[in-house]
């Protein structure tokens, strides 16, 4: 014999009930079956709402009852031919008339007792099971209706009745022995006490009914039919990549369901677990799917199973903490605390206590927090007055996330892996609990981090094949657009070879911003700003923080002074930052240090390799030298691709103004070329290198020897070019002075003995700086280890493509 239970959307309406009918028919061809059904979807809640409205004399209860009556009448009309509808329509109307009379009585008395509440709640399962049994009989199946309420005996604790299992088992065995029909259909959830008053079995009651019956007759298996294909590795509403679990032990299932897995309610599986009966969770809408087997005898070996089987979570949690020196070494404190909660019928979900015994923390449902606070403070009033303990501390807005798996037992590194990936994503853990069985690690976190935590853990333990990275790109100019194209072009390669999937989850320019958690596709990128919101750096950061996606990287490819102001808030939320923008790293040293420290303290990365040398590994080289114990003694460099291009091209055959215009046209300069030619950009770069080498320099301390006449820095860009033309003799003199000495002009940055300077220099042919062409950069490091033969980094130091590739490399490095 097998026991099948159908509930939820499986019995939402007639089309679904026809699917249920097909499943029952197919199963009955192979086995004798007992079928337990819930009320039609949503009916029980509406019945209770009607009763509650009646108790406060709110006449809306009449309309609720009429709507429910119509729902059941329509079901009869859809399941039976007209010739057979009359008796069942009368059956439905009679019971809803009775129901309305009950509610009328409640309205007159203005009181809703728990006993009457159970009576009213029982109508849903009674009606649905009767109609479904009649439908099966109409189809010619050997079916009989069974009144579960007559067989399941409980105490009189209405709404949460306790079952007398021994008496109930005798009733069920006797009934099924006398009635040998191939299909027996009965209502779930409902029972009766010794006086035949209707009682209900509480949350998960229909599953519990099916479990009791399966255990009573030692069924071959219990099947729970729902709208999902078994238990999932995580809540699919939170983790889009959640997968069905093919098999799971009873202990694992209990752990998952205790901490929020909605498919099962822990007490409901207790009877079959004790009797060692297999339980299978199946999908009514995909009956051929494997589903989840819950058993003591799993098919796969221990070595063939994953470390963890699933992640579950519960929201709306409160933490209660009782602490004080008067708790240390005093027996009975915990018992007294638990007794307070027990008297208020408050369920404790999680407990944690430090070895010092100075405090004890429990997690409960948030809705019970105020009652718990009052009860505990009242019970400990004397201790509170004597300062032996403090009033109970309450924290709300929390969630519990639990990682569950039998194979976690005695496995080293599971906790480290769990806490490490959460920490790297800025998820703060408020409390931790691990059972002595080692099959569950539970954490309490902020509710706003719940979705992120589930996804982080799911990716770490169940999706090792692909790591999802969420990029937020600020800036869509030359470099930004090249970067986006490189990401689209390279992403398939990264997925195949490095198991990384880059999603552009947000993008912004100075006018618009747009977001897509699943990523902006290459097709949609072309038109993203047509639907985008109005942009600002602050709003962009707020949205990133609000979305709170795992593995987030903010990419700044602007030159804006406003954008770096959001860095600190993002780093504090453990969002990695990759910056092409030089302003942050060259700002006041205190601010630079704050950003570096914030990144370190929040387990995230702040990379800005392209601040110096575009895609050249300049900053990375310094970092590697310092980490390995070397010390930078001096730096000599050509750091402006723009200035190198200009002085390589300027040979007197064309005016200096024409060469600068060419550099701007080819994209080597800023929109205002004075930013490059003034030397300020080079000064920022040598400042950044000095800081990365460990020297706390400020920008004002860098000596900047300008070669531009002051008048060139005044007015508009057009005026600038006019002034350049007017000062052509000045520039020719600079060129000729170098030529007369057999040298060339290079704009050089130098750092030595803690001091830095930038300016135009005459470079001799024997210098490493002499043979530097086009827009190339060069950086020469002298260190303790590279003292006689300097370390040289040389290559293209400007251009949108190489700069974008450097930003891209930083993105990959940051994750």
């Amino acid at each position: 014999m097998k026991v099948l239970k159908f509930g939820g959307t499986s019995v939402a309406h007639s089309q679904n009930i026809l699917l249920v009918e097909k499943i029952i028919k197919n199963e009955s061809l192979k086995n004798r079956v007992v079928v337990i059904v819930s009320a039609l979807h949503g009916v029980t809640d509406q019945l209770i709402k009607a009763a509650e409205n009646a108790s406060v004399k709110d006449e809306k209860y009449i309309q609720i009852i009429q709507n429910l009556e119509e729902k059941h009448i329509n079901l009869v009309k859809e399941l039976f031919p007209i010739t057979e509808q009359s008796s069942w329509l009368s059956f439905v109307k009679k019971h809803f008339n009775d129901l309305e009379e009950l509610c009328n009585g409640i309205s007159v008395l203005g009181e809703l007792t728990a006993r009457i509440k159970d009576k009213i709640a029982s109508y849903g399962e009674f009606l649905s099971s009767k109609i479904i049994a009649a439908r099966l009989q109409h189809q010619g199946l050997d079916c009989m209706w069974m009144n579960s309420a007559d067989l399941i005996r409980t105490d009189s604790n209405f709404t949460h009745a306790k079952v007398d299992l021994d008496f109930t088992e005798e009733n069920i065995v006797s009934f099924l022995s006398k009635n040998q029909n191939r299909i027996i259909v009965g209502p779930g959830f409902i029972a009766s006490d010794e006086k035949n008053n209707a009682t209900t079995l509480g949350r998960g009651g229909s599953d519990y009914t099916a479990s009791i019956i399966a255990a009573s007759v030692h069924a071959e298996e219990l099947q729970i039919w729902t709208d999902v294909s078994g238990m999932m590795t995580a809540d699919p509403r939170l983790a889009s990549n959640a997968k069905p679990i093919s098999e799971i032990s009873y202990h694992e299932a209990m752990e998952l369901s205790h901490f929020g897995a909605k498919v099962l309610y822990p007490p409901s599986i207790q009877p079959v677990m004790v009797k060692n009966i297999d339980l299978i969770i199946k999908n009514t809408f995909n009956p051929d799917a494997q589903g989840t087997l819950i058993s003591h005898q799993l098919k796969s070996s221990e070595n063939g199973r994953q470390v963890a089987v699933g992640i579950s979570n519960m929201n709306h949690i409160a933490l209660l903490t009782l602490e004080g020196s008067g708790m240390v070494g005093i027996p009975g404190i915990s018992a007294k605390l638990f007794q307070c909660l027990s008297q208020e019928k408050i369920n404790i979900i999680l407990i944690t206590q430090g070895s010092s015994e100075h405090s004890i923390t429990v997690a409960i449902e948030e809705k019970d927090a105020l009652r718990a606070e009052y009860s505990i403070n009242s019970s400990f009033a004397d201790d509170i007055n004597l300062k032996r303990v403090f009033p109970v501390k309450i924290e709300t807005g929390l969630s519990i996330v639990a990682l569950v798996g039998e194979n976690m037992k005695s496995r080293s590194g599971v906790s480290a892996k769990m806490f490490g990936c959460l920490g790297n994503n800025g998820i703060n853990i408020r409390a931790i609990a691990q059972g002595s069985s080692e099959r569950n690690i539970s954490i309490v976190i902020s509710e706003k981090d719940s979705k992120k935590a589930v996804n982080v853990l799911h990716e770490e333990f169940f999706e090792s094949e692909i790591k999802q990275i969420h990029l937020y790109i600020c800036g869509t100019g030359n470099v930004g657009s090249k970067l986006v194209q490189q990401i689209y072009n390279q992403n398939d390669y990264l997925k195949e070879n490095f198991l990384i999937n880059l999603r552009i989850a947000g993008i912004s320019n100075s006018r618009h911003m747009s977001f897509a958690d699943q990523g902006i596709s290459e097709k949609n990128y072309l038109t993203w700003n047509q639907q985008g919101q109005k942009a600002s750096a602050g709003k962009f950061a707020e949205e990133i923080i609000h979305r709170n996606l795992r593995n987030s990287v903010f990419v700044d490819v602007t030159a804006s002074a406003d954008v770096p102001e959001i860095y600190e808030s993002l780093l504090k939320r453990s969002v990695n930052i990759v910056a092409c923008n030089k302003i942050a790293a060259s700002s006041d040293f205190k601010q630079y240090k704050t950003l570096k420290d914030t990144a370190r303290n929040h387990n995230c990365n702040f990379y800005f390799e392209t601040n110096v040398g575009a895609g050249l590994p300049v900053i990375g080289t310094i970092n590697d030298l310092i980490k390995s114990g070397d010390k930078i003694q001096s730096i000599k460099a050509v750091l402006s691709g723009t200035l190198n291009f200009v002085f390589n091209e300027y040979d007197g055959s064309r005016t200096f103004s024409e060469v600068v215009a060419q550099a701007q046209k080819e994209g080597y300069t800023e929109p205002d070329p004075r930013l490059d030619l003034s030397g300020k950009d080079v000064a920022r770069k040598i400042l950044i290198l000095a800081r990365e080498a460990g020297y706390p320099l400020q920008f004002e301390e860098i000596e900047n020897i300008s070669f531009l006449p002051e008048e060139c820095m005044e007015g508009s860009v057009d005026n600038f070019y006019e002034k350049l033309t007017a000062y052509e003799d000045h520039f020719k003199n600079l060129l000729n002075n170098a030529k007369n000495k057999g040298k060339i002009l290079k704009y050089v940055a130098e750092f030595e003995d803690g001091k830095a300077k930038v300016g135009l220099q005459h470079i001799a042919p024997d210098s490493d700086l002499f043979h530097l062409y086009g827009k190339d950069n060069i950086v020469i490091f002298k260190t303790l280890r590279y003292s006689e033969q300097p370390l040289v980094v040389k290559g293209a130091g400007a251009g949108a493509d190489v700069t974008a590739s450097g930003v891209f490399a930083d993105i990959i490095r940051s994750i």
Side-chain angles (χ1 to χ4, degrees):
M1 179 181 288
K2 293 185 179 181
V3 178
L4 285 61
K5 180 266 175 177
F6 296 90
T9 54
S10 296
V11 288
H13 45 67
S14 60
Q15 292 94 326
N16 292 1
I17 289 173
L18 294 179
L19 296 177
V20 169
E21 175 189 312
K22 185 176 180 181
I23 293 167
I24 294 170
K25 182 178 180 180
N26 289 339
E27 193 61 52
S28 68
L29 295 175
K30 299 172 284 185
N31 302 281
R32 188 181 177 206
V33 295
V34 176
V35 179
I36 300 300
V37 298
S38 298
L40 301 186
H41 187 57
V43 166
T44 302
D45 288 341
Q46 288 297 302
L47 288 170
I48 292 172
K49 184 177 180 181
E52 290 173 343
N53 284 347
S55 70
V56 294
K57 302 185 184 301
D58 182 345
E59 293 189 355
K60 289 179 182 175
Y61 77 87
I62 297 173
Q63 186 61 52
I64 292 174
I65 292 171
Q66 289 174 353
N67 291 343
L68 291 176
E69 180 180 345
E70 184 179 356
K71 184 184 184 83
H72 286 80
I73 283 174
N74 288 338
L75 181 66
V76 168
K77 289 179 178 179
E78 291 165 0
L79 291 179
F80 299 95
I82 294 176
T83 54
E84 295 185 26
Q85 288 177 10
S86 179
S87 62
W88 285 106
L89 292 175
S90 298
F91 170 82
V92 169
K93 294 183 78 65
K94 175 187 180 304
H95 284 87
F96 275 99
N97 288 338
D98 293 345
L99 180 61
E100 187 169 358
E101 286 183 16
L102 275 173
C103 288
N104 289 338
I106 293 169
S107 181
V108 170
L109 294 173
E111 180 184 5
L112 175 60
T113 65
R115 184 172 70 86
I116 296 300
K117 192 173 184 179
D118 267 0
K119 174 68 175 174
I120 290 173
S122 69
Y123 273 76
E125 274 74 11
F126 176 79
L127 289 165
S128 65
S129 62
K130 272 281 194 179
I131 293 170
I132 290 172
R135 166 68 191 189
L136 296 176
Q137 291 167 351
H138 166 72
Q139 292 299 101
L141 299 176
D142 180 18
C143 175
M144 177 182 183
W145 181 74
M146 168 185 74
N147 190 355
S148 309
D150 290 342
L151 304 179
I152 299 178
R153 174 66 58 82
T154 70
D155 62 15
S156 300
N157 184 20
F158 298 103
T159 73
H160 293 89
K162 182 179 179 181
V163 177
D164 182 339
L165 291 172
D166 291 337
F167 188 88
T168 295
E169 182 174 325
E170 289 180 12
N171 285 345
I172 292 170
V173 170
S174 175
F175 179 87
L176 293 176
S177 297
K178 293 176 183 176
N179 300 281
Q180 291 292 318
N181 301 73
R182 196 69 177 169
I183 303 169
I184 305 288
V185 176
F189 181 59
I190 62 177
S192 59
D193 65 8
E194 289 184 355
K195 298 179 181 179
N196 289 324
N197 293 310
T199 60
T200 60
L201 303 181
R203 179 184 165 196
S206 290
D207 286 355
Y208 192 27
T209 300
S211 183
I212 290 169
I213 292 172
S216 297
V217 297
H218 299 275
E220 181 182 340
E221 67 183 25
L222 167 62
Q223 298 177 3
I224 304 289
W225 290 83
T226 69
D227 56 0
V228 294
S229 298
M231 297 187 80
M232 308 289 282
T233 49
D235 186 339
R237 294 169 299 181
L238 300 181
S240 58
N241 293 324
K243 308 167 187 176
I245 303 170
S246 60
E247 61 176 22
I248 188 173
S249 74
Y250 267 110
H251 293 300
E252 290 169 329
M254 290 286 277
E255 295 280 8
L256 281 175
S257 56
H258 175 68
F259 285 101
K262 305 300 183 186
V263 178
L264 284 180
Y265 181 54
S268 68
I269 64 175
Q270 186 71 29
V272 286
M273 184 178 88
V274 171
K275 293 290 184 70
N276 198 17
I277 296 169
D278 287 351
L279 188 157
I280 300 178
I281 299 170
K282 299 277 285 180
N283 188 344
T284 304
F285 308 102
N286 185 14
D288 294 329
Q290 181 179 354
T292 299
L293 168 67
I294 304 174
S295 176
H296 286 301
Q297 289 87 32
L298 299 179
K299 295 177 183 178
S300 59
S301 66
E302 182 177 329
N303 292 333
R305 303 182 72 218
Q306 289 182 294
V307 171
V309 296
I311 301 159
S312 70
N313 66 289
M314 295 177 68
N315 292 333
H316 310 305
I317 296 297
L319 278 186
L320 307 184
T321 300
L322 186 68
E323 61 182 337
S325 58
M327 296 171 59
V328 179
I330 306 299
I333 293 288
S334 298
K336 187 176 179 180
L337 173 63
F338 299 151
Q339 184 64 31
C340 292
L341 299 174
S342 175
Q343 288 173 350
E344 293 293 323
K345 296 183 178 179
I346 295 172
N347 182 44
I348 297 173
I349 303 168
L350 176 148
I351 305 167
T352 180
Q353 182 175 20
S355 59
S356 66
E357 301 182 61
H358 182 261
S359 67
I360 184 169
T361 298
V362 299
I364 63 173
E365 291 187 61
E366 199 171 69
K367 64 182 177 62
D368 297 327
L370 292 180
R371 285 192 298 121
E373 179 185 32
Y374 178 80
S375 176
I376 294 168
N377 285 343
S378 298
S379 184
F380 285 87
D382 291 341
D383 297 292
I384 292 171
N385 289 334
L386 294 172
K387 309 294 185 185
R388 289 199 288 255
V389 300
F390 299 107
V392 67
K393 178 183 176 183
I394 298 181
E395 296 174 76
T396 56
L398 302 172
S399 292
I400 293 177
V401 176
L403 182 69
V404 174
E406 293 274 5
N407 269 10
M408 289 161 54
K409 294 177 183 177
S410 305
R411 289 284 188 98
S412 60
V414 177
S415 297
K417 186 177 181 181
M418 179 181 184
F419 300 146
C421 67
L422 293 171
N424 289 337
N425 278 275
I427 299 169
N428 184 45
I429 299 173
R430 283 290 303 110
I432 302 167
Q434 181 174 19
S436 57
S437 66
E438 297 186 76
R439 66 172 65 97
N440 177 332
I441 304 173
S442 303
I443 58 171
V444 180
I445 60 174
S446 172
E447 190 168 321
K448 70 180 188 313
D449 288 331
S450 178
K451 180 178 180 179
K452 185 178 185 181
V454 169
N455 276 279
V456 166
L457 292 174
H458 196 270
E459 185 173 82
E460 189 71 22
F461 286 91
F462 300 98
E463 302 173 49
S464 57
E465 65 275 14
I466 297 289
K467 185 175 184 179
Q468 306 291 341
I469 309 300
H470 298 92
L471 303 180
Y472 295 94
I473 299 174
C474 191
T476 56
N478 285 340
V479 176
S481 59
K482 294 288 186 183
L483 172 64
V484 170
Q485 197 55 56
Q486 288 177 15
I487 290 169
Y488 287 134
N489 291 344
Q490 190 69 2
N491 206 26
D492 286 343
Y493 176 82
L494 291 174
K495 278 192 280 190
E496 183 177 345
N497 293 278
F498 295 95
L499 306 179
I500 293 171
N501 182 38
L502 299 180
R503 290 174 173 168
I504 300 177
I507 194 162
S508 175
N509 58 26
S510 59
R511 300 174 302 281
H512 301 98
M513 61 184 186
S514 184
F515 296 89
D517 289 356
Q518 296 304 311
I520 298 171
S521 68
E522 186 172 7
K523 178 182 177 181
N524 291 337
Y525 173 73
L526 299 174
T527 57
W528 72 267
N529 58 353
Q530 295 177 11
Q531 293 85 29
Q533 312 165 37
K534 188 175 180 181
S536 73
K539 288 180 180 178
F540 197 54
E542 287 173 8
E543 190 66 26
I544 294 169
I545 292 169
H546 171 71
R547 288 174 181 266
N548 203 21
L549 297 180
R550 68 196 186 281
N551 307 325
S552 292
V553 183
F554 173 76
V555 186
D556 180 5
V557 281
T558 72
S560 167
D562 295 331
V563 176
E565 293 181 3
I566 68 176
Y567 288 6
E568 188 173 354
S569 63
L570 292 173
L571 291 171
K572 285 181 176 178
R573 293 295 297 165
S574 295
V575 176
N576 299 295
I577 291 180
V578 170
C580 181
N581 190 333
K582 290 182 279 291
I583 291 175
S586 61
S587 62
D588 181 78
F589 181 78
K590 183 178 179 182
Q591 177 62 16
Y592 159 85
K593 188 73 165 52
T594 296
L595 293 176
K596 297 276 283 189
D597 290 344
T598 302
R600 183 174 60 253
N601 293 338
H602 290 82
N603 295 309
C604 57
N605 296 301
F606 174 34
Y607 288 138
F608 41 90
E609 180 66 75
T610 52
N611 278 195
V612 181
L616 296 178
V618 179
I619 293 174
T621 298
I622 291 179
N623 294 156
D624 290 343
L625 290 170
I626 299 298
K627 288 175 185 175
S628 66
D630 206 347
K631 183 176 176 62
I632 307 293
Q633 294 177 321
S634 71
I635 303 172
K636 191 169 186 177
V638 172
L639 296 174
S640 171
T642 302
L643 287 169
N644 195 46
F645 176 87
V646 166
F647 286 109
N648 279 333
E649 292 291 321
Y650 183 54
D651 57 6
S653 63
R654 293 183 295 164
T655 66
F656 191 74
S657 175
E658 288 173 334
V659 173
V660 173
Q662 179 190 350
Q664 183 176 16
K665 183 180 179 180
E666 295 188 18
Y668 300 146
T669 75
E670 296 292 342
D672 185 345
R674 287 173 291 190
L675 296 175
D676 298 291
L677 271 62
S678 68
K680 289 182 179 179
D681 188 57
V682 176
R684 286 195 182 99
K685 292 177 179 179
I686 194 66
L687 173 67
I688 292 168
L689 295 185
R691 286 177 171 179
E692 289 295 290
Y695 296 89
L697 275 184
Q698 295 284 23
F699 184 78
E700 297 77 17
E701 298 176 82
I702 298 174
E703 182 182 0
N704 186 348
I705 306 167
S706 177
F707 67 90
L708 281 179
E710 288 187 11
E711 288 186 24
C712 293
M713 303 303 294
E714 299 171 357
S716 66
V717 174
D718 289 338
N719 292 333
F720 163 68
Y721 279 109
E722 291 174 4
K723 295 293 184 183
L724 286 185
T725 302
Y727 278 95
E728 178 61 23
D729 288 344
H730 165 74
F731 298 115
K732 276 190 176 178
N733 287 336
L734 294 175
L735 177 66
N736 290 332
N737 286 340
K739 279 184 175 180
N740 292 338
K741 297 176 184 178
K743 298 181 179 181
I744 60 173
L745 292 173
K746 294 290 181 186
Y747 199 86
V748 180
E750 292 184 286
F751 172 77
E752 190 169 9
D753 297 329
K755 296 179 180 179
K757 66 178 181 179
V758 298
L760 205 58
Q761 293 186 14
H762 294 172
I763 304 300
D766 60 350
S767 170
D768 288 322
L769 305 182
F770 189 88
H771 298 287
L772 194 66
Y773 306 110
K775 58 185 182 296
D776 283 1
N777 281 190
I778 187 170
V779 184
I780 303 169
F781 295 107
K782 280 193 174 182
T783 74
L784 290 176
R785 294 173 186 160
Y786 293 90
S787 55
E788 295 182 8
Q789 185 69 32
L791 176 61
V792 178
V793 178
K794 180 180 177 182
D801 277 320
V802 293
T803 303
S805 68
V807 173
F808 200 161
D810 267 356
I811 290 171
I812 301 302
R813 193 179 300 116
S814 73
I815 56 181

